[in-house]
Amino acid sequence: MSDGTDTPEELVRKAAAAGLDVVALTDHDTFDGLDAAVAEGERVGVHVFRGMELSCSRRGDSVHLLAYGANPSNTDLAGEMVRVRGGRMGRLAGVLTKLAELGVPVSEADVMAEVGDSPSVGRPHIADAMIKAGHVRDREEAFERFLAEGGPAHVPRYAIELERGIDLVHGAGGVAVIGHPWGRGREHVLPPAVLRTLVADHALDGVEVDHQDHDTETRAQLRTLAAELGLLATGSSDYHGMGKLDHDLGCNTTAPEVFDELVQRLRR
Ligand code: AMP
């Protein structure tokens, strides 16, 4: 619903075809695709676990917090998500100005055509408009040359302080797992001491270990640390359809016993 290239229903059908029996849908900062995905899951025999990926930050660095089983009607969480989505929309004009100055003009209308029904305007939509305009080959090139943090067309946006994000997810009955914490050379954002404090002070539930942004050594180190800290070690494909290469459905999975523990931790 946010920035994948399949609809929630298509995604669930592809999960069934890939032989998965449980799949989580975790769109960025929106729950909008979940009802459709769950209904399709019931039709094709896939258990759809309700999720969402909340935009958080720690000392200015972006951190993605996976919220599993959080109640969409929780007013504190829903209110913050409205603010985050407002920040996504609010930075668009600034990014487009920078892109124009860099000689790669795309209009807001071009981007909104890519956004479609998504309530969550993201850089991948800007990247898709850049591809259509012939400025870049794919999303990867758009991020590498222009949109990534530190890139020439990057504009920061509002995100929730990580500690507060974890508390909000818990307050909404959900389980909080940090997505790809050490991906893309970001170990310094969440070193072991910080993860230890997040467990001690905010009861962080887990870290995503098996993810394409983690190499074999990173996975081994993170898995050992997770065991030490009592964190659930999850895995996911982070599938975005055509939006991300090498993230095929089921390329990483969460062990059944870890999934069972996740379900046990839902604060109903
Ligand atoms: P945003 O939601 O605007 O902060 O953009 C984050 C989204 O961009 C996430 O879905 C990321 O997976 C995606 N993203 C980040 N870097 C890249 C990249 N190099 N290629 C494709 N997608 C990316």
Side-chain angles (χ1 to χ4, degrees), residues 2-3 28-29 53 55 62 64 88 91 120-124 126-127 138-144 148 154 157 180 184 213 238 240 243-245 247:
S2 59
D3 61 335
H28 292 277
D29 304 311
E53 189 168 4
S55 296
S62 144
H64 289 173
R88 286 174 165 281
R91 79 167 157 187
S120 186
V121 181
R123 283 173 288 170
I126 303 173
D138 51 25
R139 286 186 179 182
E140 195 65 38
E141 186 186 347
F143 273 85
E144 254 169 43
H154 185 258
R157 63 179 167 90
H180 43 83
R184 300 179 198 260
D213 287 353
D238 204 358
H240 280 66
K244 265 188 180 182
L245 304 177
H247 287 68

Side-chain angles (χ1 to χ4, degrees), residues 56-58 63 65 160-166 178 190 198:
C56 292
S57 73
R58 183 164 191 284
V63 177
L65 185 65
I160 304 164
E161 192 199 346
L162 178 59
E163 288 82 352
R164 176 159 157 70
I166 296 169
I178 297 181
L190 294 162
L198 292 173

Side-chain angles (χ1 to χ4, degrees), residues 125-195:
H125 302 121
I126 303 173
D128 289 346
M130 293 166 74
I131 297 167
K132 284 241 171 88
H135 297 310
V136 290
R137 234 180 9 259
D138 51 25
R139 286 186 179 182
E140 195 65 38
E141 186 186 347
F143 273 85
E144 254 169 43
R145 288 180 53 203
F146 301 103
L147 302 174
E149 270 181 83
H154 185 258
V155 173
R157 63 179 167 90
Y158 174 71
I160 304 164
E161 192 199 346
L162 178 59
E163 288 82 352
R164 176 159 157 70
I166 296 169
D167 294 348
L168 282 168
V169 171
H170 287 158
V175 174
V177 175
I178 297 181
H180 43 83
W182 289 355
R184 300 179 198 260
R186 298 167 61 83
E187 288 87 341
H188 66 282
V189 177
L190 294 162
V194 170
L195 290 173

Side-chain angles (χ1 to χ4, degrees), residues 12-59:
V12 172
R13 285 196 292 274
K14 288 183 185 179
L20 295 168
D21 51 3
V22 183
V23 66
L25 181 66
T26 56
D27 277 308
H28 292 277
D29 304 311
T30 179
F31 294 110
D32 280 8
L34 293 177
D35 286 346
V38 168
E40 190 64 11
E42 282 166 6
R43 214 180 60 75
V44 300
V46 171
H47 175 174
V48 176
F49 195 37
R50 290 173 180 264
M52 186 266 295
E53 189 168 4
L54 189 61
S55 296
C56 292
S57 73
R58 183 164 191 284
R59 298 192 176 160

